Amino acid sequence: MFNLTLVDLLYPQTDKSISFVNNKAYPLTINISPNPASDLLTIKFNQVVNGPINVMIIESTGRIVFSETRITDAGGHSILLNTNEIPGGFYLLCIQPEGEQSVTKRIIIAR
């Protein structure tokens, strides 16, 4: 399996990634809202295969301020993250299914 990520410069809230499993292409879409977030952040995504997925929020220095691994089935998922403990600023949200390339999005935590 390998991934190809397409970045839409006109609509940066949605990145599209294409996963190839057994020579078949499966699009992966990640939506984040609201962005900027003040207390809650919703992440919606498609998982191509069953297995763990790691969700991280990383500050500009590279320090991981949030990390969580969830076991997911193939299909659509929604994760609600509480951002109250994260200081305001610019961050990277990284979603990485096991054995696949991560998808990274820019997020803002507003205080």
Side-chain angles (χ1 to χ4, degrees):
M1 177 189 325
F2 65 92
N3 287 331
L4 172 68
T5 301
L6 308 170
V7 178
D8 190 334
L9 297 177
L10 295 176
Y11 301 98
Q13 299 296 2
T14 303
D15 285 346
K16 294 174 179 65
S17 180
I18 300 172
S19 295
F20 293 88
V21 180
N22 297 328
N23 294 325
K24 292 184 181 180
Y26 298 93
L28 173 66
T29 302
I30 296 174
N31 291 304
I32 299 171
S33 66
N35 194 10
S38 57
D39 55 354
L40 295 173
L41 181 68
T42 302
I43 305 164
K44 294 182 180 180
F45 64 95
N46 272 335
Q47 172 71 318
V48 178
V49 295
N50 298 341
I53 188 163
N54 192 25
V55 178
M56 294 182 290
I57 296 177
I58 304 166
E59 67 180 12
S60 60
T61 63
R63 185 175 71 93
I64 298 171
V65 296
F66 174 86
S67 181
E68 180 176 282
T69 300
R70 293 184 179 212
I71 304 299
T72 60
D73 296 326
H77 296 276
S78 182
I79 298 174
L80 185 63
L81 294 180
N82 182 341
T83 60
N84 281 326
E85 301 295 319
I86 300 173
F90 293 91
Y91 295 90
L92 294 177
L93 172 73
C94 181
I95 298 178
Q96 184 172 20
E98 184 177 72
E100 296 185 36
Q101 185 175 5
S102 64
V103 176
T104 304
K105 307 257 313 171
R106 286 170 282 163
I107 61 171
I108 301 170
I109 307 296
R111 296 282 172 240

